[in-house]
Amino acid sequence: MSYLVGVTAVMAVFLAAVVAFLGGRAWKGYTPEGGDGGSLLHSLKGSPLVWVLSFLLVVGGVAASVVVFVSGPPGQQALVSGVLVGVGALLLAGYVGYGTFTSTRAHGHTNAVAAMLSAWALGTLFLFAITASLLLA
């Protein structure tokens, strides 16, 4: 019973921190700056070479991690498995978040609606992770 109370308390503190962070920002004073779209990041995002090199970098990193995981000592195996799970979770969250955002924008919605749906999808993934953690612990 104390485990569930502890998990509930941690989630309540996390929720209070998020509400305090979002409530403390001066949203009414925000004015978006008109971007010209010619930034370095924008040009790199559209480059196929950057996408291919980043994919090869990720594949090489995962392959090297798997080799270390299979042939390394137990302590190193535990560290590498944690890194692999973390990288996989980040890739999944990035795929879902960015994919939801771009898909929503492609269907003619505004940035605000796309960001809301992306946050909703990521929040749903987060709740699934918490539920799996509580059920499998």
Side-chain angles (χ1 to χ4, degrees):
M1 181 66 174
S2 65
Y3 176 73
L4 290 177
V5 172
V7 169
T8 304
V10 167
M11 289 303 295
V13 169
F14 177 72
L15 180 63
V18 168
V19 168
F21 173 73
L22 292 177
R25 298 191 52 111
W27 296 108
K28 292 185 181 183
Y30 173 75
T31 56
E33 298 180 21
D36 58 352
S39 68
L40 176 66
L41 183 62
H42 190 277
S43 64
L44 286 178
K45 185 177 86 169
S47 171
L49 180 64
V50 171
W51 284 101
V52 168
L53 290 177
S54 60
F55 175 75
L56 291 176
L57 182 69
V58 168
V59 168
V62 168
S65 299
V66 168
V67 168
V68 169
F69 178 74
V70 170
S71 63
Q76 200 173 22
Q77 288 177 349
L79 176 68
V80 170
S81 66
V83 168
L84 284 174
V85 168
V87 167
L90 283 175
L91 286 174
L92 176 67
Y95 178 76
V96 168
Y98 184 71
T100 303
F101 184 84
T102 56
S103 175
T104 306
R105 288 291 296 146
H107 284 88
H109 295 287
T110 62
N111 281 341
V113 172
M116 183 267 308
L117 287 175
S118 180
W120 185 74
L122 289 174
T124 304
L125 270 181
F126 186 64
L127 288 176
F128 282 144
I130 290 172
T131 303
S133 173
L134 290 174
L135 290 176
L136 299 175

